[in-house]
């Protein structure tokens, strides 16, 4: 009988611990993970490139850059931090 009581207590602790771990993982994935809200990425542009403007879009960010070969707008996906498109003025 004593072994059964110990087993029940241990299983109860495991259930509570597992539930807490699941809740913590869900909260982190939803975005309430207590992060600083800081976001960083590399745009991989040539040397001498300057960022001259940034604007929010529906799907991410539009970053206006002045490169040695001309200006362009880079479309950046914030979730993955990568450039998904580029707009260059025509000649």
């Amino acid at each position: 009988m004593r072994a059964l009581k110990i087993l029940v207590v241990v299983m109860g602790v495991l259930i509570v611990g597992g539930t807490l771990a699941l809740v913590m993982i869900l909260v982190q994935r939803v975005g309430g993970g207590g992060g600083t809200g800081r976001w960083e990425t590399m745009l991989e542009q040539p040397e001498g490139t300057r960022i001259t403007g940034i604007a929010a879009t529906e799907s991410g960010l539009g970053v206006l850059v002045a490169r040695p070969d001309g200006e362009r707008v880079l479309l950046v996906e914030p979730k993955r931090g990568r450039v998904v498109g580029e707009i260059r003025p025509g000649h």
Side-chain angles (χ1 to χ4, degrees):
M1 191 66 156
R2 180 174 165 88
L4 183 60
K5 287 181 183 180
I6 292 172
L7 185 63
V8 168
V9 169
V10 169
M11 292 176 104
V13 169
L14 287 174
I15 290 172
V16 170
T19 303
L20 288 175
L22 181 63
V23 168
M24 287 174 53
I25 289 170
L26 288 173
V27 167
Q28 286 177 349
R29 289 196 178 170
V30 168
T36 61
R38 189 173 169 196
W39 179 74
E40 187 175 321
T41 190
M42 296 290 293
L43 295 177
E44 298 180 12
Q45 296 297 301
E47 193 70 31
T49 300
R50 294 178 302 118
I51 296 175
T52 57
I54 300 175
T57 67
E58 284 185 19
S59 60
L61 297 173
V63 181
L64 178 62
V65 294
R67 292 175 36 163
D69 61 345
E71 288 188 337
R72 58 197 66 209
V73 176
L74 303 175
L75 303 173
V76 180
E77 181 184 19
K79 223 173 205 180
R80 292 193 178 101
R82 64 184 178 110
V83 177
V84 294
E86 187 175 302
I87 302 171
R88 289 180 267 178
H91 294 285

